[in-house]
Each structure stands twice: as structure tokens, then as C-alpha cells.
Amino acid sequence: MVYETAFTSEDVPAAERFDRWRELVRRAHAPLEADSPHRADFRARVRVLGVGAVTVWPAEFRPAVLRRTPELVRRHDPRTVHVSLPLRGRLRVAREGRADGYGPGSLCVVDTSRPCEMWAGDGDGPYSGIGLEVPRDLLHLPPERLAGLTRHRLSAREGMGALLAQFLTTVAADSARYRPSDGPRLAAVAVDLLSALFAHTLESDHALPPEDQRRALLLRVKAHIRRHLHDPHLSPPAIAAAHHISLSHLHRLFRDEGSTVSAFLRDQRLRRIRQDLSDPALHRTPIHAVAARWGLTDPSAFSRAFRVAYGTSPSDHRQRALARGGAPAAVRGGLVANAAGR
């Protein structure tokens, strides 16, 4: 869902501003230490948007330093990937014995499972940017591959990086326009764009070892599947052809991680259908039409697959989801408040 928490330093006493900002950033990102030469007169604006399983947080604040120490990593690791999009000012990041700088037009990737130190801002000028937090498990990327990606300065001006940057700025600017039920859909887009960016980055390295090449191809295949779930003709042969690989190569990619391409395709479709059946805005759409929207055009086969996956029928799932409070007044037979989700 899309939930929003906002903080403006002018709304609290000066003595409390820095601590309040620090606590909000810790909740949005990960436990960390923070300091600033402007603690006595700290000024900041932060919005934390809960977008399904991911978090987007536009922020502007006076220069500060943020540290993920080894002790904090051992104590608590949310297992997330953090992406920073600087909009004004510079971001410097020190990790594993090296320091890198990022400015507008670039993307910085941080793994919360590894210590790092980040300086945001130049001199007395404020830093502004947008942060994205994605659970690492959604990216299907081993820690050692992620460590390699964090050493890249990714472009936000071209290719997949530009698409991700545009998505983040649009969500940040138009958050009031989204319904709570839009959250999972926006989260899926964020994960797809980030996965595609990582796959492109890995593939651009000509010295990539064979295992990394396999991982990059698998990321690209999964992103392709998620983008074409609506196509009823999407199938293993079509997926293999789209990536110019043999069908046996495609099956081997998924078999190496204990799955099958058909199972992944079916699971992704059922997840999207389940989300839509829980959406009160779609309560009048017939169940078979919802399934067809995500490429499952055989009602009987869909119903059996849904029951196997979730232990209930599609109609029972929809009824329970609406009864939990998501149904419009016409469905529940009573009045409802305007649920902005924020």
C-alpha cells in the first residue's frame, strides 16, 4: 500500500530537530549513527512513502554524515538494497577501503549488510535526493554479486538508470494521486526496473565470469516475464526466443536455482491476480476477467492453480479480502471513510 510519513524540521523545536530527523531516517533505511555540523540548527524535510514492499523517501537536509558500523550490521540487518538518487549536492560513500562520489545524474547502491559511511551535502548547502529501499530477497541477487554492483557509479541520465530515476521522481511528486491498492503495483515496477538496471550493468562488464553472466541473464529473463505477464502467449519457447537462447538453456537457468520457468511464470501471474482480487476498486470485475488480464485465460485451470497455491478458491479469497475492510460501501452495506492510505 502507499502510506506516507512526513517530517518538516520547522514543525518541532530546534533542540529536537536533529534527533527527530535521525530517527525517521533510521526507520526508513537501517539502524545507523548520524552526525552533522549543523545539529544546533538542523533543517530537513523528509517524506517516507511505503510503496508495497519497498520504500521511497524524498529528502532534503543540511549536510550530515551517516554511518553503518560493523556493530550495527551485526546487531540488526534489514537485508535491503538502498539506492540513492542525488538531486542537489553531492553524496560521498566510503566502504571496503575505498571512497566514491556521486552527484546529480548518478545512482549510488548500498547494501545494508555491509558497513559504510556516507557524507551528504557540500559545505553549508543542503543535500536533496530520493532514496529507494528494496528487500534484497526480491532481487534474487547473491550478496557477492551485489557487492560488485555497489562499486559501480550508475548513470541516472541514460538507459535503465534514467527509467528508474524518472520512476522515483514521478512517485515522489505524485504520491497523493495513488490509492493504497496501487502500492503492490508500484513496488513491482520498482523491483523490475532495478533488476533490469542491475542485469544491464552486469552484462556490460566484458570480463564478467560465467556465473555472473548466468545471473545477469536470469535477472533479465525474470524482468521480461514480469513485464509481459498480461500476454496469454507468454511461454517458455517465447521467452527463450526473446532472449536468443535455446529452450534447454532457459530451463537450465531456472533448474540451477531449484525452480522451473513455468513455475516462476505461474507464480508471478497468481501473485498479481491475488492482489487485484483484494482491490476494492476492482470488486465488480469478474474473476475470470481479472485472471485473463494477467494471461490466464482458462477459468478452470486458473481456479485449480489458485487453490493449490493459496489453499482457497479465488472467490473465497476475494470475499475475505473485502470483508477485512477494503470493500466499498455498496459491497459492505454501510458507509466508509475516504481511505487515502496516508
Side-chain angles (χ1 to χ4, degrees):
M1 295 185 177
V2 181
Y3 295 105
E4 180 171 333
T5 300
F7 168 78
T8 302
S9 57
E10 285 77 8
D11 294 339
V12 299
E16 301 176 15
R17 291 174 181 172
F18 182 79
D19 290 338
R20 292 278 294 276
W21 167 82
R22 177 177 57 187
E23 183 57 32
L24 184 59
V25 172
R26 290 181 63 172
R27 292 202 305 269
H29 176 52
L32 46 77
E33 296 176 353
D35 202 355
S36 171
H38 307 282
R39 291 181 65 140
D41 186 27
F42 196 74
R43 299 178 185 179
R45 296 176 183 270
V46 182
R47 293 161 51 225
V48 180
L49 309 175
V51 183
V54 309
T55 303
V56 177
W57 50 291
E60 179 178 345
F61 50 89
R62 300 196 73 178
V65 58
L66 307 169
R67 302 183 184 91
R68 277 284 287 166
T69 66
E71 174 60 26
L72 286 173
V73 171
R74 286 192 297 270
R75 191 184 308 166
H76 179 67
D77 179 12
R79 292 175 54 84
T80 59
V81 174
H82 172 82
V83 180
S84 291
L85 172 65
L87 299 176
R88 182 171 60 170
R90 291 191 62 80
L91 182 67
R92 290 175 294 147
V93 182
R95 55 199 159 192
E96 300 179 350
R98 57 177 286 171
D100 300 290
Y102 304 85
S106 65
L107 292 162
C108 169
V109 180
V110 171
D111 180 1
T112 61
S113 299
R114 296 175 181 268
C116 71
E117 187 167 5
M118 296 176 283
W119 295 270
D122 297 312
D124 291 335
Y127 169 85
S128 66
I130 303 175
L132 169 67
E133 307 285 339
V134 178
R136 200 168 66 207
D137 292 344
L138 295 181
L139 298 170
H140 306 286
L141 196 63
E144 62 274 14
R145 306 295 177 252
L146 180 57
L149 286 163
T150 61
R151 291 190 286 269
H152 285 267
R153 184 183 292 102
L154 304 176
S155 174
R157 291 196 171 106
E158 59 185 19
M160 302 306 303
L163 291 177
L164 178 60
Q166 183 181 24
F167 170 80
L168 293 176
T169 53
T170 300
V171 170
D174 297 336
S175 61
R177 297 178 180 272
Y178 300 114
R179 300 192 303 266
S181 56
D182 290 326
R185 303 184 187 104
L186 294 172
V189 173
V191 171
D192 286 353
L193 288 173
L194 189 57
S195 295
L197 174 61
F198 285 172
H200 175 82
T201 303
L202 290 171
E203 289 172 338
S204 67
D205 187 347
H206 297 296
L208 206 62
E211 175 56 25
D212 282 356
Q213 293 179 22
R214 188 197 71 82
R215 174 59 59 177
L217 176 58
L218 183 59
L219 285 173
R220 186 155 54 91
V221 167
K222 287 183 173 180
H224 174 87
I225 290 173
R226 293 190 185 101
R227 288 196 303 271
H228 295 85
L229 292 174
H230 63 278
D231 181 0
H233 301 296
L234 186 66
S235 63
I239 295 166
H243 292 85
H244 310 290
I245 59 176
S246 68
L247 184 58
S248 60
H249 189 177
L250 176 66
H251 286 310
R252 191 160 54 250
L253 286 174
F254 283 84
R255 186 171 63 244
D256 288 347
E257 63 172 31
S259 182
T260 68
V261 61
S262 295
F264 180 82
L265 172 58
R266 181 177 60 251
D267 176 70
Q268 292 299 307
R269 281 175 163 160
L270 290 174
R271 285 171 182 255
R272 302 296 176 88
I273 295 168
R274 188 169 183 256
Q275 290 170 1
D276 281 358
L277 292 178
S278 302
D279 187 347
L282 300 175
H283 76 281
R284 295 187 185 277
T285 305
I287 290 175
H288 68 85
V290 173
R293 174 182 296 174
W294 294 107
L296 295 182
T297 57
D298 184 333
S300 298
F302 154 67
S303 184
R304 287 194 300 270
F306 192 96
R307 186 180 290 275
V308 169
Y310 301 116
T312 186
S313 69
S315 58
D316 286 346
H317 169 76
R318 170 179 266 181
Q319 290 175 5
R320 283 198 299 270
L322 296 180
R324 283 195 294 268
V331 175
R332 296 206 313 265
L335 296 176
V336 295
N338 179 29
R342 299 188 295 130

